[in-house]
Every structure is written in structure tokens, then in C-alpha cells.
Amino acid sequence: MRPNKSSKRREVMIFYDSFCPVCSKSMRILTKLDTGDKFQYETIRDNRILERYHINKEEAEKRMHTIRLKDRKMETGIFSVLRIMKQIPFFWVLVPFIQLSIWAGAGPGLYDWLADRRTILPIGGCDGDSCSIPKQKSR
């Protein structure tokens, strides 16, 4: 039987970009795999959330953030991915590879490279000329 959500203490708060389809889909998948209710999910598109947890909006738009709730330790980017993977038994097989990529120095760069190329789609679309989706930078 799955533990009652109100009686289970969450372990990690995940701050994700709800304007990013890949990020949102990843959070939906994590919700299904999170049978122990270890995660709390917050969108970085709510400025009140960012203020409450003292998260810089520009940094949050560049990299996923997590907070380990027992000691309020904040992690970003590939370190957030590693924190999440350690919490879900299904992903434990990937933990050594992610850790090795961090030790080798490639993990943070690879995370940033992928994050820089993600698509951002404002919820509800755009009203006339009030928003535009920036074109990919030429590489």
C-alpha cells in the first residue's frame, strides 16, 4: 500500500521549468515512479516560490534546482539530476554513470549543453505580439 501523502515527509523539492515540455513530461514520469512520495514539485514560473526559497530566476531558467529538505542543501544542474536518481530505485543503475561524469568533469558541461537547447513554450501560448519564442542561437 502506498503511504499516505500527508503522513510521509518529503525528502527533495524539485524546481522545474513548467514552460519546458521535456521538463514537464519528466516531472510527470517522476511522479509515477515516486512511489515513496519523496518529491515535492514546484515550477520556477511562480515568482513567489522563487522568492520564498531565495532562488535567482535567471539561474533557475538555466538549470534545474533541488533542495534536500532535511538540511536545506540546494543543488543545481547535473547535481540535481544525481540527487533525483538516488531517490528512485528504478534509476539506481544510472547513478554510477552520472557520478563518473561529474568526477570526469563532463557531467556539468553536458547538462548545460542539453539545458541550453531545450524548447520553452509559455503556457496558454502568446497574445499577439506580447511574447515571442527566441530562435536557436547558431552554433
Side-chain angles (χ1 to χ4, degrees), residues 17-120:
D17 190 346
S18 59
F19 285 6
C20 166
V22 171
C23 305
S24 294
K25 184 173 183 174
S26 297
M27 293 307 111
R28 287 191 300 274
I29 291 168
L30 270 179
T31 300
K32 291 177 183 175
L33 294 173
D34 182 19
T35 58
D37 292 320
K38 294 181 179 189
F39 301 126
Q40 177 177 334
Y41 308 89
E42 300 290 349
T43 177
I44 64 162
R45 298 302 172 172
D46 182 342
N47 289 328
R48 294 170 300 180
I49 295 293
L50 296 177
E51 289 171 14
R52 183 180 309 144
Y53 294 99
H54 309 289
I55 297 173
N56 177 281
K57 185 172 184 125
E58 289 77 30
E59 286 299 314
E61 289 175 342
K62 289 180 187 176
R63 293 180 190 90
M64 175 182 11
H65 285 55
T66 53
I67 295 177
R68 191 171 58 192
L69 295 173
K70 71 178 179 180
D71 60 4
R72 297 288 189 195
K73 179 179 180 184
M74 184 172 295
E75 296 163 310
T76 65
I78 192 72
F79 300 98
S80 288
V81 172
L82 182 61
R83 171 68 47 214
I84 292 166
M85 296 293 145
K86 286 180 175 181
Q87 301 297 318
I88 304 287
F90 181 79
F91 292 124
W92 286 351
V93 68
L94 300 174
V95 169
F97 298 104
I98 294 170
Q99 188 67 61
L100 186 59
S101 78
I102 292 169
W103 289 334
L110 179 60
Y111 177 93
D112 288 346
W113 184 82
L114 290 169
D116 188 43
R117 283 155 181 76
R118 66 193 163 89
T119 301
I120 305 297

